[in-house]
Amino acid sequence: MLELEARAEPSRLMSWASPLLAVALMLAGGVLVFSALGKDPIEGFRVFFINPVKDLYAVSELLLKATPLMLCAIGLAIGFRANVWNIGAEGQFMLGAVAATGVALYFDGSESALLLPAMIVAGAAGGAAWAAIPALLRTRFNANEILVSLMLVYVAQLFVSWLVFGPWKDPDGFNFPQTKMFGEAALMPTVLEGTRLHLGFVIALATLVAGYAFMNRSHAGFRMRVAGEAADAARYAGFSANRMIWVGLLLGGAAAGLAGMGEVAGPMGQLTDKVGSGYGFAAIIVAFVGRLNAFGILLASLLMALLYIGGEQAQQYLNLPSSISMVFQGMLLFFLLGSDVFIHYRLRLRRRAAPGR
Amino acid sequence: MDASLFSSMLFATVVAGTPLIIVALGLLVNEKAGVLNLGAEGMMAMGAVAAFAVTHESGNPWLGVAAGMGAGMAMALLFGVLTLTLMANQVASGLALAIFGVGLAAFVGKPYEAVALQAVPPIRIPFIADLPLIGEALYNQQALVYFSWALFWGLLWFLYRSRAGLVLRAVGESPASAHAIGYPVIRIRYLAVLFGGAMAGIGGAFLSVFYTPMWAEGMVAGRGWIALALVVFATWRPLRVMVGAYLFGGVMITQLFIQGSGLQIDFPSQLLSSLPYWATIMVLVAISRNAGTIRLNSPVSLGKPYRPDA
C-alpha cells in the first residue's frame, strides 16, 4: 500500500521539480481533454501549444498577453508572502484602467509628452486606492481581506459599466459601451516594429526586477517573508502586522492598476465594459505557479499567456469555446498544489501495518 | 406601503435569500469540521450549469437538482483530495477551485447559453397559504425554499443534539484529541466537505433552474463568496445564517424593486446593483470589528491541515 512519509527536511529538488511535474501532468490532462471532446489530440496540441509561438508576431502577442499577468502576479506575490490574501486584483486592475482613462479623457486632444506618464501614475494610484479599502477595513476593523477585496471586484465591474454606458460613453460610438478612442499622446508606444507589443511590457519587466529587489534585498521584504513563514517569530521581533497588510495590499493594488492602465492605453486604446478579462484572477494562479518569486512569475506568466492564446486558437481552429483556457489553467494549479505534497513527503511502498500497532 | 407590494417584496426576498441559506449552511458544516473551502463560487457555478443542462435534456427539474448536487460534490471531492489527502494549503486550493469551477462552468455551459427553461410552478401549502399578508409570500413557494427551512432545522438538531454533530464539532475544534479517542478525523472531514459541495451544488441549481430559468456565464455573480461572508457574519451559528441570508436577500430585492418601480429617481442602475456587495462589506466590518467575537466563535482549527501520525 502506498503511503506518504514525512521528509526530515523539505526537498529543494522537489520545490523546483513540482512545477515541471504539474506542467507535464497538465499536458497529459490536455491530451485527455482533447480526446474526450472528440478532437485529434495531436492537432489540438499543435493548435493550443505550438501555434502561439510559431513566429515572431505570435511571440509578440504572447508577450503582450503576459504583460498584465506579470504585473498583477508580482504585486500579489508580495502580499501572499506575508499571508495577506488580496484576491481583488481584478477590481484593482479595473480601477487602474478607469483612473488612466479619466486622465486621457480629461486631457483629450493634448499632445503633451507628460500625458502618458500622468496616466501611468494615475493607473497605479487608482489600483492602490481600491486596494486601500480592504487594507483599511482589515487593519481598522479586522474585516477579512479575501472577502472584502473580492466584493470590490463586483463593485468595480458595475462601476466600469456605469461609466461606459453613462457619463463616459462615446457619443459617436453607435451606443456601444465604450469610451472614445484615446489620442496618439495617450497611447503606449510600441517597442517592436510591426507588432502590438508596447512599452507596458518593458514596465512589467522593470516591475519584476523591482519586486525581486523588494522581496529579496530589502528589509521590508525580509519582514514580510518572515511574517509569512513564521508569524510568531515576526510578532516576537516586533514587526508590525498592520504595516505589512498596508504594504502588501497597496503594492499589489498599484501593480494591478498599472496593468489595467497598460491595457486601456495599449491594445484596447479605450475603456470598455470588457476591460477586466480575468487577468486579476489568472494572476493568482501565476503567483502560485511562479512560487511567489520574480523569476518564477516571469516563466509562469508566459505559460499562462500561452494557455490564453492557445484557447483563442482552439476557438478559431478547433471550434471550442475559448474558456477552455480556464480549464487548462485550473488543471495546472490543481496539479501544482497536488505535487507540492512531495516537497514535504515522500511516497513509500509499505505492507499493511502489523496488527497491534 | 400597500399590502400587495409588501407581499411581493417578502416573496422575492425569501427567494433571493434561499440559495444563500443552502450554500452557507453547507459551508457552515465544512467549517465546523475545521475545513475552510473558499471554492463555493466554483461549486455553485458547476452546480448551476449541470442542473441546467440535465433539466434541459430531461425535462425534469428534480433530475437537474440531483445533477447539480452531484457536480458540487465532484468539485468538493477534488478539493478534499488536495487538502485532506495531499495536505495542500486550504486557502490556495479553495481559490483554485473557485477560479477553475467558474471557468469550467463557462466552458461546459457554452451550448446552453440563450436557451430558456420552463419555469417550475411553486408548491402551495394548503390552508396556511391563505393567511393574509404573508401566506402567499411564504407558503406558495418553490420546493427548494421549503428545503432550505428543513435544512436549517435538520442542522440545528444535527449539530447540537446528535452525537455525530458533537463529533463533527470536536474534529473542528481539536482534531488531535478527536483522533486520540478513536475518531477517523480525515474521513469525517471528507464527509463534511462533500456535504458542503452538495449544498453549493443545490444552491447553484436553484439559481439556474428555479430562480432565473436560464444559464449565463457569471450568473452566480459572487453569491458563493457572499455565502462565505455570511458564515463569518453568523459567527458560525445557523440561526444567524438564516437572518443574514434574508437581510441580503432584502437588499438585493430592494434595489431590484427600486429599479423596476418606474420611480424616476436619479440614480444609475449599475450603482444600485452594487449595493448588495457594499452591504456584504459593511456587515463584515460590523461583525469583525470585535476581534474577540470572531476568535471565540470560529472553530479553533479552521483552515489548519491535520495529519494523524501513523
Side-chain angles (χ1 to χ4, degrees):
Chain A
M1 168 181 157
L2 285 175
E3 241 182 36
L4 290 171
E5 185 188 76
R7 291 178 195 270
E9 22 187 295
S11 158
R12 288 187 69 86
L13 173 71
M14 274 314 298
S15 65
W16 283 100
S18 85
L20 298 179
L21 183 63
V23 172
L25 287 170
M26 177 196 71
L27 295 178
V31 171
L32 291 180
V33 169
F34 285 125
S35 317
L37 295 168
K39 309 282 173 189
D40 176 11
I42 298 180
E43 172 69 3
F45 202 83
R46 197 181 60 75
V47 167
F48 211 100
F49 296 104
I50 310 296
N51 268 8
V53 287
K54 65 172 192 280
D55 55 30
L56 182 67
Y57 186 78
V59 171
S60 77
E61 286 289 299
L62 183 76
L63 298 180
L64 182 70
K65 207 61 146 187
T67 299
L69 293 173
M70 248 180 246
L71 274 168
C72 292
I74 188 75
L76 291 180
I78 291 172
F80 288 178
R81 284 213 163 186
N83 277 330
V84 177
W85 298 99
N86 173 14
I87 306 305
E90 183 81 3
Q92 294 141 23
F93 175 98
M94 287 190 250
L95 262 288
V98 163
T101 303
V103 173
L105 293 181
Y106 188 81
F107 294 104
D108 186 36
S110 155
E111 289 179 9
S112 163
L114 289 176
L115 182 55
L116 203 58
M119 287 167 66
I120 292 176
V121 172
W130 206 237
I133 301 175
L136 179 75
L137 299 182
R138 169 70 199 273
T139 52
R140 273 292 177 80
F141 304 111
N142 188 38
N144 181 310
E145 78 277 14
I146 298 183
L147 294 169
V148 173
S149 62
L150 222 134
M151 288 299 125
L152 289 173
V153 174
Y154 297 97
V155 175
Q157 177 63 56
L158 289 161
F159 182 59
V160 168
S161 77
W162 170 62
L163 286 174
V164 295
F165 276 103
W168 285 3
K169 186 160 76 181
D170 179 5
D172 308 319
F174 304 102
N175 253 342
F176 279 110
Q178 59 193 31
T179 67
K180 63 184 295 189
M181 295 297 287
F182 294 176
E184 196 59 42
L187 291 176
M188 290 281 212
T190 51
V191 289
L192 203 59
E193 196 69 39
T195 70
R196 300 197 299 159
L197 191 64
H198 60 82
L199 188 64
F201 178 65
V202 181
I203 294 176
L205 287 182
T207 309
L208 277 184
V209 174
Y212 173 84
F214 177 81
M215 287 198 276
N216 300 60
R217 294 279 178 270
S218 78
H219 189 58
F222 169 73
R223 281 199 301 251
M224 301 199 66
R225 260 185 312 162
V226 173
E229 279 158 26
D232 292 337
R235 212 170 305 127
Y236 188 71
F239 300 164
S240 155
N242 280 353
R243 197 154 110 201
M244 282 180 284
I245 291 166
W246 276 105
V247 171
L249 276 159
L250 288 185
L251 289 182
L258 214 47
M261 180 274 164
E263 286 304 288
V264 290
M268 297 178 85
Q270 63 187 161
L271 183 69
T272 79
D273 66 339
K274 301 272 186 296
V275 63
S277 26
Y279 291 124
F281 290 119
I284 297 171
I285 303 184
V286 172
F288 280 116
V289 174
R291 301 269 123 181
L292 307 184
N293 79 52
F295 184 66
I297 286 172
L298 174 65
L299 295 180
S301 57
L302 292 174
L303 178 64
M304 286 290 283
L306 182 76
L307 295 181
Y308 265 118
I309 297 186
E312 288 164 13
Q313 298 280 327
Q315 183 177 31
Q316 198 175 340
Y317 295 106
L318 302 173
N319 204 16
L320 293 170
S322 66
S323 41
I324 191 173
S325 308
M326 291 195 260
V327 175
F328 277 87
Q329 292 167 359
M331 273 203 293
L332 178 65
L333 185 50
F334 284 130
F335 286 132
L336 179 82
L337 289 167
S339 12
D340 274 359
V341 71
F342 299 115
I343 297 177
H344 296 283
Y345 297 89
R346 70 177 95 234
L347 212 52
R348 265 292 163 82
L349 194 64
R350 224 202 268 186
R351 267 187 233 121
R352 279 218 165 269
R357 183 177 59 124
Chain B
M1 191 190 297
D2 64 44
S4 75
L5 180 63
F6 173 81
S7 180
S8 54
M9 280 188 76
L10 182 64
F11 179 87
T13 299
V14 169
V15 172
T18 294
L20 296 176
I21 292 175
I22 297 174
V23 180
L25 287 177
L27 294 171
L28 181 86
V29 170
N30 256 259
E31 299 191 12
K32 283 279 187 195
V35 184
L36 178 66
N37 184 354
L38 295 177
E41 185 81 5
M43 299 192 294
M44 278 185 86
M46 282 304 291
V49 83
F52 185 90
V54 169
T55 307
H56 179 69
E57 302 297 340
S58 71
N60 183 341
W62 302 110
L63 281 180
V65 171
M69 185 172 107
M73 288 174 82
M75 298 293 282
L77 182 65
L78 191 60
F79 176 81
V81 170
L82 281 175
T83 57
L84 300 177
T85 302
L86 299 177
M87 286 159 292
N89 178 310
Q90 291 181 11
V91 172
S93 307
L95 292 175
L97 194 71
I99 300 172
F100 175 69
V102 171
L104 186 62
F107 180 68
V108 177
K110 205 76 195 172
Y112 296 101
E113 283 193 339
V115 188
L117 286 179
Q118 219 156 24
V120 184
I123 297 176
R124 190 180 168 85
I125 300 184
F127 307 120
I128 47 175
D130 297 326
L131 286 173
L133 220 53
I134 58 165
E136 282 296 318
L138 297 184
Y139 302 108
N140 187 22
Q141 277 284 13
Q142 297 291 348
L144 284 182
V145 170
Y146 307 131
F147 169 75
S148 72
W149 298 340
L151 181 67
F152 165 71
W153 289 110
L155 270 186
L156 268 191
W157 174 81
F158 170 78
L159 283 173
Y160 302 107
R161 291 280 178 275
S162 79
R163 186 166 173 78
L166 184 70
V167 173
L168 180 91
R169 285 185 291 145
V171 162
E173 294 295 334
S174 172
S177 9
H179 177 70
I181 50 175
Y183 290 112
V185 171
I186 301 295
R187 200 177 311 157
I188 291 167
R189 287 193 164 174
Y190 259 108
L191 290 176
V193 166
L194 287 175
F195 180 77
M199 292 308 117
I202 294 179
F206 182 77
L207 292 180
S208 66
V209 178
F210 297 88
Y211 194 25
T212 46
M214 54 150 213
W215 161 255
E217 196 180 330
M219 71 177 291
V220 179
R223 286 186 181 83
W225 297 104
I226 293 179
L228 277 159
L230 262 179
V231 179
V232 181
F233 163 72
T235 56
W236 293 268
R237 276 179 254 182
L239 180 62
R240 289 187 173 202
V241 167
M242 298 288 280
V243 175
Y246 287 136
L247 273 177
F248 281 107
V251 175
M252 288 183 190
I253 288 315
T254 309
Q255 57 89 8
L256 283 179
F257 267 74
I258 296 174
Q259 284 181 39
S261 65
L263 285 172
Q264 286 303 315
I265 48 156
D266 205 14
F267 204 73
S269 66
Q270 290 94 345
L271 301 189
L272 272 179
S273 300
S274 64
L275 276 182
Y277 305 106
W278 285 117
T280 309
I281 293 174
M282 286 188 292
V283 163
L284 262 177
V285 164
I287 206 77
S288 312
R289 57 188 311 176
N290 185 348
T293 343
I294 298 286
R295 215 175 313 118
L296 276 180
N297 289 294
S298 71
V300 174
S301 69
L302 183 60
K304 294 180 193 141
Y306 175 71
R307 181 179 146 80
D309 295 311

